[in-house]
């Protein structure tokens, strides 16, 4: 009996200690999907900036891992809290991928906040309103846009391919010199395959918008069999970073990469300066990451202020464009004024804004996307 | 007496609860999920899909595992034998020290360093070129199936050798001495006296390595090149990209079966050796 | 523990009683190869930790340094951007 009392006493002391600690200052919980670099961005750049302007607020950042899976974890967490009827959800700001952002809106997990913040009017891009067929107008602010493109070594390739057709021809003339990572080891390969279907299957506009028509996927047999033939002339690489690695060591001379990773590696000297980018016709997909805030966020007002700061032109210029080489989330013309010419020129030197608007496509809506990946597994890699 | 039994039960309860909650429940849940639909009805569709899409990968995984395990057995037995039997103590003590190093390097770090080491223009080939053993045109990339095997062997070798050296050191020396006095060579001692006695340990080392190899995701992701790939990658892919836990669990079931098959084979052998069958 | 040591010692004397040593060089070569296989990749990792710039066709890094910003290689690998 005595022991029991002691335990209870100890436990209650522990609890008061703990709760005392928690309430020492307000904690703003930011949960981010995506690679470590995104967590780093919030942790090392946004959080100190926000804490400086909001004394007594502590930003607590948690990463949930790369890819849609990371976003999916946030979705699962929020819907669990919703289903259990909690009044306050312990996520204030979340950074999620486009596809899951749409699902969250459909499930009623998000707050419609864009009109509450001053930067809300700085976004006019289609992807801020339409997330793979779901109307997300008002619920999301794009953090940045990420784009895939073909990287090539300009020392060896003077005239890079401008389209998928030219690329196919190029790989026939230069077997094994093009490399990508299939569809299981990272999104740059998935993106390349999606671009292939846009080129030889069905155009991007149809696949990126609802409604879903399941007969369309059956017409891709020829595209897949051509891709299978194409795969014989190329080298497979291990992952997004693997493609860059092999480009770096001269094992391949061309391959699909994420533009932001490409520039970061180039800045760090991990790939030679002769590497350049080309966005080929009819286009390759890219995607935005969204800032969202849950419908019942505990610190709803602080969350809005955080997002407002994160999408302000100077943060977008300094943090998103200059430090991390991402394309800005808000419209580019608002960011341009805050950037020196060199940085601006670097970001848009190889892929011009007109290339970007012409050939920068969205990913397909979820069911088509699954059709593409399964079709690849069934007909190309099997 | 009675109270002591119930007391004992209480003692093991936390451990049993832990095992049940964090091991048995997930295990049976994943098996259940592999053979049921969302509505709860029994189905073989997930398994069929797993085989339809990933039969090549399953075969590839089995080949990788077998090749790695065979290489591991050969190399770890050679090193352990060298450590135990070699007359040259100074070099052998050096060997005894360095073989353990990979124990302290995690798989993902191993994979990362191998990725740039084994590549076509990686450090290894560069070293060969610099020493004049190869010309730049002759170099080949080991990224792919051979790289995966190399990484697994490299990493697991320390663990297997540790187990096997321990078992060899614990052998009864009088037999070895007797064999020696009768003029047996070291090789003969190894094969006829030592190995038969440590087969159980070798079996355990190989089975534990198999389970590790089947479960490591970072290596096939970073060293492998897409197709074919190992089951772990496919499982991760099913979940990450389709949110499809059923087929992933069906693939998990296949990996259980592969491991179980090996374990069964081993148990049967060891029972046979003991004369039980 | 003590037993094992004693046992190893006696194994040692046992082995040293052997007069013929043709396999010495074979064992040396084996250990050398093993050490190469073991330390090669580790060296590679260590070089990367002090490399700033390292790209084809340089056999070794063209720029050395300890800038922490470029040292997040493993993190970069793990992040399947974005």
């Amino acid at each position: 009996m005595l022991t029991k009392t002691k335990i209870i006493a100890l436990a209650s002391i522990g609890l008061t200690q703990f709760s005392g600690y928690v309430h020492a200052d307000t904690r703003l919980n930011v949960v981010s999907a995506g690679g470590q670099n995104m967590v780093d961005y919030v942790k090392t750049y946004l959080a100190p900036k926000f804490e400086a302007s909001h004394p007594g607020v502590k930003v607590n950042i948690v990463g949930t891992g790369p890819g849609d899976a990371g976003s999916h974890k946030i979705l699962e967490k929020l819907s669990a809290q919703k289903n259990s009827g909690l009044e306050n959800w312990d996520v204030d700001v979340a950074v999620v991928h486009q596809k899951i952002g749409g699902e969250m809106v459909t499930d009623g997990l998000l707050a419609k906040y864009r009109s509450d913040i001053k930067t809300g009017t700085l976004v006019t891009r289609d992807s801020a309103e339409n997330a793979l067929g779901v109307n997300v107008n008002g619920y999301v602010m794009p953090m940045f846009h990420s784009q895939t493109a073909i990287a090539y070594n300009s020392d060896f390739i003077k005239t890079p391919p401008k389209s998928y057709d030219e690329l196919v021809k190029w790989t026939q003339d230069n077997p094994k010199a093009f490399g990508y990572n299939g569809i299981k080891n990272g999104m740059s390969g998935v993106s390349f395959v999606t671009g292939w279907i846009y080129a030889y299957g069905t155009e991007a506009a149809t696949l990126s918008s609802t409604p879903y028509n399941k007969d369309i996927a059956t017409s891709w047999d020829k595209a897949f069999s051509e891709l299978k033939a194409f795969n014989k002339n190329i080298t497979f690489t291990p992952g997004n970073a693997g493609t860059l690695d092999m480009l770096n060591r001269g094992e391949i001379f061309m391959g699909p990469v994420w533009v932001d990773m490409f520039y970061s590696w180039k800045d760090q000297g991990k790939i030679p300066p002769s590497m350049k980018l080309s966005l080929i016709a009819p286009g390759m997909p890219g995607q935005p990451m969204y800032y969202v805030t849950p419908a019942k966020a505990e610190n709803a007002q602080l969350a809005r202020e955080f997002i407002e700061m994160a999408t302000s032109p100077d943060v977008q210029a300094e943090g998103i464009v200059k430090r991390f080489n991402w394309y800005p989330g808000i419209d580019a013309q608002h960011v341009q004024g805050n950037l020196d010419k060199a940085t601006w020129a670097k970001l848009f030197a190889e892929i011009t804004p007109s290339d970007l608007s012409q050939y920068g496509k969205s990913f397909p809506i979820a069911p088509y996307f699954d059709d593409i990946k399964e079709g690849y597994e069934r007909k190309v890699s099997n | 007496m009675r109270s002591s039994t119930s007391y004992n039960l209480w003692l093991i309860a936390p451990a049993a609860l832990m095992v049940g909650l964090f091991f048995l429940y997930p295990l049976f849940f994943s098996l259940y999920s592999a053979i049921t639909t969302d509505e709860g009805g029994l189905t073989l569709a997930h398994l069929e899909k797993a085989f339809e899409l990933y039969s090549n990968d399953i075969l590839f995984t089995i080949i990788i595992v077998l090749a790695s395990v065979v290489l591991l057995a050969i190399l770890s037995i050679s090193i352990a034998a060298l450590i135990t039997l070699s007359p040259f103590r100074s070099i052998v003590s050096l060997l005894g020290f360095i073989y353990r190093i990979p124990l302290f390097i995690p798989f993902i770090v191993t994979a990362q360093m191998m990725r740039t080491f084994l590549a076509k223009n990686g450090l290894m080939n560069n070293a060969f070129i610099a020493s004049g053993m190869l010309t730049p045109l002759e170099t080949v990339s080991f990224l792919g199936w051979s790289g995966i095997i190399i990484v697994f062997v490299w990493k697991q070798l320390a663990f297997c050798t540790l187990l096997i050296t321990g078992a060899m050191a614990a052998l009864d020396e009088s037999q070895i001495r007797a064999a020696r006095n009768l003029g047996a060579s070291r090789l003969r001692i190894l094969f006829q006296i030592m190995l038969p006695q440590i087969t159980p340990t070798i079996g355990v080392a190989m089975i534990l390595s198999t389970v590790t190899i089947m479960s490591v995701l970072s290596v096939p992701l970073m060293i492998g090149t897409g197709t074919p790939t190992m089951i772990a990658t496919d499982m991760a892919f099913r979940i990450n990209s389709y949110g499809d836990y059923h087929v992933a669990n069906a693939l998990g079931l296949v990996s259980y079966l592969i491991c179980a098959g090996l374990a069964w084979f081993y148990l049967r052998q060891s029972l046979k050796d003991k004369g039980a069958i | 523990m003590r037993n094992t040591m004693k046992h190893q010692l006696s194994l040692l004397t046992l082995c040293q009683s052997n007069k013929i040593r043709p396999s010495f060089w074979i064992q040396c070569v084996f250990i050398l190869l093993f050490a190469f296989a073991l330390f090669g990749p580790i060296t590679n990792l260590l070089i990367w930790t002090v490399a700033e710039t390292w790209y084809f066709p340089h056999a070794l890094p063209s720029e050395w340094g300890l800038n922490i910003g470029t040292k997040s290689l493993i993190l970069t690998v793990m992040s399947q951007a974005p």
Side-chain angles (χ1 to χ4, degrees), chain A residues 167-178:
Chain A
L167 177 66
V168 173
K169 176 130 191 351
W170 190 85
T171 55
Q172 283 159 357
D173 299 340
N174 304 278
K176 303 287 172 198
F178 177 89

Side-chain angles (χ1 to χ4, degrees), chain A residues 237-251:
Chain A
T237 69
N240 291 342
T243 306
L244 284 163
D245 241 3
M246 290 178 87
L247 282 166
N248 177 34
R249 286 192 307 268
E251 290 158 23

Side-chain angles (χ1 to χ4, degrees), chain B residues 84-85 167-181 189 193-194 197, chain C residues 2-14:
Chain B
T84 324
L85 289 177
M168 282 186 177
L171 285 180
D172 184 4
E173 61 171 286
S174 58
Q175 293 176 357
I176 298 165
R177 191 186 292 272
R180 198 97 195 107
N181 287 342
I189 293 178
I193 313 267
M194 299 176 80
Q197 297 191 61
Chain C
R2 225 177 134 167
N3 260 337
T4 328
M5 272 178 69
K6 214 172 97 191
H7 159 75
Q8 288 225 328
L9 253 157
S10 56
L11 265 184
L12 189 89
T13 43
L14 195 88

